[in-house]
Amino acid sequence: MKKRLGIICSLFVIVLLLGACGTNGDSNSESAGNDKTWEKIQESGKLVVGTSGTLFAASYYPDGSDELTGYDVEVVREIAKRLDLEVEFKTSDFNNMLASVQNGRIDVAANDIEITDERKEQFAFSEPYKYSYTSMIVRKDDLSGIHSLTDLKGKRAGGEASTNHSKVAEQLGAEVVTYSNATNDVYLRDVDNGRTDLIINDFYLQSLALQAFPDFNIMIHPDFKFDQIEQGAILSKDAPELKKQMDKALDEMREDGTLSKLSEEFYGGADVSQKPDEELPTVDELLEQEGNK
């Protein structure tokens, strides 16, 4: 009996040891894989970045130019420069950007991307380099019939599939009319001509869009200002060294004033790289307030 117990105990110890070895092997393999991500970038000397090329002022082609620029584009260019890397941009719509990060076709996506808890479950983010909040473009003459958030039920909201702003529109009961990597003027013209009723998006982007198209019968709704936003570059969770290197470069850029300078260049003198002092309500808090009136 003692001999049998001894054999069983010995087998149990062996199983534990094998299990521990297996666990350590997986961990080492994962670590090696993570290291290879950064090593691959260093070996190629190139950072491959996904962006839209259609989102003024984050990522766009100026009229008559085939040179991509914008706040996000130039922030990433500066990061790559400080990491002694070239940068290659690949343009696509937002959904394809995320899929390309997941399957490794690109290293990073940078396109005015909001940092959310939901996205953090699948991706890693750089440190934020833009702070903003959510606003709503409507028709100027009648506010598109929207005087409370509950009025969005049944309205048509222009947006791109899977963006957080489109999800907010759906949450408020609007029907989202989706576009595939369309330029700003397409979205804005459709609100102007009544094909859609509103656009929920980033305040700074919307302010610049209105300045670019002053003849459209549109404005930012004066009563809705909510959901503070932090935005950064998105990358794979399996690239911790890349994140570390990007964050280090961003910290340096914040300290030496480069982020502020780029922001002021693309956002009409506004410094979007600084976290605002004002605390804004979430969309849920606004809905609660309306329900208590």
Side-chain angles (χ1 to χ4, degrees), residues 32-220:
N34 290 343
D35 288 342
K36 286 177 183 176
T37 302
W38 176 239
E39 287 174 9
K40 180 192 74 172
I41 293 170
Q42 287 188 302
E43 287 171 6
S44 68
K46 182 169 63 177
L47 186 67
V48 182
V49 181
T51 193
S52 68
T54 60
L55 185 61
F56 183 81
S59 169
Y60 66 99
Y61 292 93
D63 289 341
S65 174
D66 59 0
E67 179 70 18
L68 187 68
T69 190
Y71 179 62
D72 286 64
V73 169
E74 300 305 334
V75 166
V76 170
R77 275 204 177 105
E78 182 64 24
I79 290 172
K81 179 181 176 182
R82 294 180 186 226
L83 298 181
D84 198 26
L85 298 170
E86 294 180 7
V87 60
E88 176 186 350
F89 290 101
K90 293 188 176 182
T91 57
S92 72
D93 62 27
F94 185 68
N95 279 341
N96 281 330
M97 273 182 240
L98 297 188
S100 294
V101 171
Q102 286 180 317
N103 61 33
R105 284 201 299 266
I106 61 175
D107 303 311
V108 176
N111 198 70
D112 208 61
I113 300 172
E114 183 175 349
I115 301 171
T116 66
D117 290 337
E118 182 180 358
R119 288 174 184 159
K120 283 180 178 178
E121 293 177 4
Q122 293 182 284
F123 301 96
F125 281 90
S126 71
E127 288 297 309
Y129 51 79
K130 183 182 172 204
Y131 298 89
S132 186
Y133 59 88
T134 302
S135 58
M136 185 188 308
I137 282 181
V138 293
R139 279 184 292 280
K140 192 183 297 182
D141 53 7
D142 64 349
L143 300 181
S144 297
I146 299 170
H147 305 286
S148 69
L149 290 181
T150 54
D151 290 335
L152 266 74
K153 290 180 180 177
K155 300 293 185 183
R156 292 165 65 81
E160 193 168 353
S162 300
T163 65
N164 199 54
H165 294 116
S166 290
K167 291 176 182 178
V168 170
E170 290 176 340
Q171 176 189 350
L172 295 171
E175 174 193 349
V176 176
V177 178
T178 59
Y179 300 74
S180 179
N181 211 31
T183 53
N184 293 35
D185 61 303
V186 176
Y187 287 91
L188 300 173
R189 185 175 287 107
D190 280 354
V191 176
D192 174 59
N193 64 30
R195 182 171 181 263
T196 58
D197 300 299
L198 68 142
I199 304 166
I200 294 177
N201 211 310
D202 171 87
F203 169 76
Y204 290 107
L205 294 183
Q206 294 199 328
S207 298
L208 291 173
L210 292 182
Q211 293 175 29
F213 301 97
D215 295 334
F216 289 167
N217 176 38
I218 55 177
M219 65 180 291
I220 292 177

